[in-house]
Amino acid sequence: MKLEPIQPPGWAAPKGYSNGVLAPAGSRLLAVAGQIAWDAEQRLVGREDFALQFRTALANVVAVVRAAGGGPEHLLQLTIYVTDKSAYLASTRELGTAWKELVGRHYPAMALVEVADLLEEGAQVEIQALAALP
């Protein structure tokens, strides 16, 4: 099963995301709850390290997708909530490295939203996702 990136004619190609992603007919839709930088015992990892929190939250998203029978290439959409957009921007190199290691060169439709706070004390990143599974 292959997801189809959608690029409107004449638009410049986006970097690090897709403008749209089309799931093929017959795929199953998986909604992944917002994942933060929790370990398996729900202890927050990297309390002061934005890039580590991003990596851990993304790894948790991928783990949920794998548990449902898919892989990172089945990610359709991500919404990334951050408490500090400047920390996100300052960490782009580390975030790119984490992305390539965990997801590869697949880029779903994405949005970044800066929020005042997240539910778990000390969490700086939360990632919610949709995946289309075969």
Side-chain angles (χ1 to χ4, degrees):
M1 183 195 89
K2 186 159 172 75
L3 300 177
E4 180 184 349
I6 302 299
Q7 179 67 13
W11 284 25
K15 293 184 179 182
Y17 68 96
S18 294
N19 284 306
V21 180
L22 184 62
S27 59
R28 299 176 305 137
L29 190 62
L30 170 67
V32 180
Q35 299 296 311
I36 63 170
W38 269 345
D39 65 13
E41 285 79 40
Q42 294 189 339
R43 294 178 301 219
L44 191 64
V45 177
R47 192 166 289 274
E48 301 299 322
D49 187 336
F50 184 90
L52 179 56
Q53 283 204 19
F54 179 90
R55 172 186 289 278
T56 306
L58 184 59
N60 289 344
V61 167
V62 171
V64 173
V65 173
R66 288 193 191 286
E73 70 276 12
H74 298 119
L75 288 168
L76 191 61
Q77 179 193 20
L78 296 180
T79 304
I80 303 167
Y81 300 95
V82 300
T83 58
D84 184 358
K85 183 176 75 171
S86 62
Y88 176 90
L89 294 172
S91 302
T92 55
R93 182 176 302 258
E94 295 93 337
L95 304 184
T97 298
W99 185 270
K100 287 177 186 152
E101 289 174 8
L102 295 167
V103 181
R105 296 211 173 269
H106 169 66
Y107 298 104
M110 287 190 260
L112 177 73
V113 181
E114 185 176 35
V115 295
D117 204 2
L118 294 168
L119 182 61
E120 183 66 26
E121 185 67 35
Q124 299 178 57
V125 180
E126 184 169 330
I127 304 174
Q128 184 178 12
L130 288 175
L133 306 178

